[in-house]
Amino acid sequence: MLKNLKKLAIAVSAFALAAAALAAAPEKPELKIAVGSSILGYAPAPLTSTLGFFKKEGLDVTLENFQAGGSKALQALIGGSVDMVVGSYDHTIQMQAKGKEIVGVFLLNEVPGIVFNVRSDLADKIKSPKDLKGMRIGITTPGSSTDMIARYYVTRAGLSERDVKFIGVGSGAPGMVAFEAKNVDVLLAYDPVVTQLSRKKLAVQLFDARTVEGSKAAFGGAYPFACVYVTRAFLDKNPETVQRMANAFLRTVRWIDANTPSKIVETLPGNFKIGDPGLNEEIWASSKAMFSKTGVFPEDAVKTPLSVLSQYDPAVAAAKVDLKKTYTNRFAEAAAQQVK
């Protein structure tokens, strides 16, 4: 009798485990994730794929790179051609001001990693943001995070947007080409462009937000930037899929923290590398500290993007933005328990 009861208990336990596994299956295992561009801050996306962490979580992920900038990736999400975006947290705030609920579900960068580069031949003329009057400012695309930050930085210095000219030059190599050709006077850019320009002695920096200190100098505080975001409708319909994605990205940010720049460069796919290995290692050594180790959005830090956007975006300034609806730590916190 006792033996039969033990067998029954084992069978029930096995059934319960099988049922739990079935219940926890991702609702949408095949995913399309838009990546705002090939900037360093978005590198966890291709790394997660290359390291096999998406597959480990039962996800079949296609990454679609939007080299034109993050605003195009956002449009793809709103249009329904992709399921998730690796892009700027700023977009979740801006979209709420427009009545659309976009939710950050995993934080990748604790600071923007953006640098305001001034052409070296203009270094004597542009020593502070007030000196930008009459200058041509290179951004990736209108509506992108570089556009938002550039406009904020100009207005914070007491200039109007009419005092400068904003020019979309694309991200990565196209932006650097425009800068080197002197088609713009200053350029907001991320690594790998920043380190390349510094190596060539082509630029000096008005601010460097690859560190918390630099972010505080530019924006008054830490500034959550790259994240994974989804529509509220997708999140509500596919919570286990989002959880699996968070698990995969947590494995990646932990992996980044645990490995050397050399190992990271060795693992990255080709489109996220440029030039010789030494250059790529230098880039990662300069920027590795900007990556989150937990995926959690700090409650105080999310106030910084709202403050920045409110100062130049009339729609955000007029809206009653509820920051708690622009992100959730539910999945990152659960991932910390599930990923050992």
Side-chain angles (χ1 to χ4, degrees):
M1 179 69 174
L2 184 59
K3 184 182 290 186
N4 288 337
L5 284 174
K6 285 183 177 179
K7 286 182 179 179
L8 179 61
I10 291 171
V12 169
S13 177
F15 178 80
L17 288 172
L22 183 62
E27 302 88 352
K28 195 174 190 301
E30 293 185 7
L31 292 174
K32 288 185 179 180
I33 300 180
V35 183
S37 65
S38 295
I39 65 172
L40 193 78
Y42 299 161
L47 274 173
T48 304
S49 183
T50 300
L51 291 164
F53 293 153
F54 287 132
K55 287 186 177 180
K56 189 177 183 71
E57 291 296 330
L59 300 175
D60 182 5
V61 173
T62 299
L63 298 177
E64 296 190 10
N65 194 294
F66 285 72
Q67 198 61 33
S71 58
K72 297 298 183 184
L74 173 62
Q75 289 173 20
L77 181 74
I78 299 299
S81 61
V82 299
D83 303 301
M84 302 180 178
V85 172
V86 172
S88 170
Y89 169 67
D90 288 350
H91 292 150
T92 70
I93 296 173
Q94 288 193 305
M95 294 309 293
Q96 188 183 132
K98 295 178 180 179
K100 296 183 183 295
E101 201 167 347
I102 305 297
V103 186
V105 292
F106 194 90
L107 182 65
L108 298 173
N109 302 161
E110 294 181 342
V111 291
I114 195 169
V115 177
F116 203 119
N117 302 276
V118 175
R119 287 198 342 243
S120 294
D121 60 306
L122 296 175
D124 291 338
K125 295 181 180 179
I126 307 175
K127 296 182 178 180
S128 76
K130 292 183 179 180
D131 300 325
L132 292 171
K133 188 172 183 178
M135 298 296 169
R136 299 164 300 170
I137 300 178
I139 58 172
T140 54
T141 55
S144 66
S145 56
T146 56
D147 186 19
M148 300 176 204
I149 290 171
R151 291 175 191 274
Y152 163 77
Y153 197 61
V154 166
T155 55
R156 188 185 182 199
L159 302 177
S160 78
E161 294 183 14
R162 294 186 298 274
D163 289 327
V164 298
K165 185 175 183 180
F166 299 99
I167 301 175
V169 294
S171 65
M176 188 166 64
V177 168
F179 188 79
E180 291 190 69
K182 299 185 178 181
N183 294 330
V184 293
D185 304 306
V186 296
L187 177 70
L188 273 84
Y190 305 89
D191 262 328
V193 169
V194 175
T195 298
Q196 286 180 287
L197 293 177
S198 296
R199 252 196 175 195
K200 295 179 179 180
K201 302 187 184 304
L202 293 174
V204 294
Q205 299 164 354
L206 278 185
F207 71 73
D208 182 349
R210 290 176 292 185
T211 65
V212 172
E213 292 74 19
S215 181
K216 287 179 178 177
F219 312 112
Y223 193 125
F225 182 65
C227 70
V228 183
Y229 61 73
V230 299
T231 63
R232 171 65 67 179
F234 184 90
L235 187 157
D236 290 343
K237 187 178 180 180
N238 304 282
E240 184 59 32
T241 301
V242 176
Q243 186 62 63
R244 298 293 188 94
M245 175 281 307
N247 293 353
F249 275 106
L250 181 60
R251 295 179 191 277
T252 302
V253 295
R254 285 178 175 177
W255 184 90
I256 290 172
D257 182 52
N259 282 277
T260 63
S262 175
K263 181 63 175 179
I264 295 169
V265 170
E266 179 187 326
T267 309
L268 274 171
N271 63 319
F272 271 75
K273 291 189 281 192
I274 52 168
D276 61 89
L279 171 59
N280 287 284
E281 289 174 25
E282 184 179 338
I283 289 166
W284 273 90
S286 298
S287 298
K288 187 180 171 185
M290 73 184 188
F291 290 95
S292 172
K293 298 176 181 62
T294 64
V296 171
F297 292 82
E299 186 175 347
D300 288 336
V302 296
K303 297 174 184 177
T304 305
L306 177 59
S307 175
V308 170
L309 293 171
S310 295
Q311 291 187 46
Y312 96 89
D313 188 328
V316 175
K320 293 183 178 179
V321 175
D322 184 351
L323 285 174
K324 291 184 178 179
K325 292 183 178 179
T326 64
Y327 73 94
T328 176
N329 285 326
R330 162 188 167 190
F331 300 100
E333 289 172 351
Q337 300 300 316
Q338 295 180 23
V339 178
K340 302 300 181 182

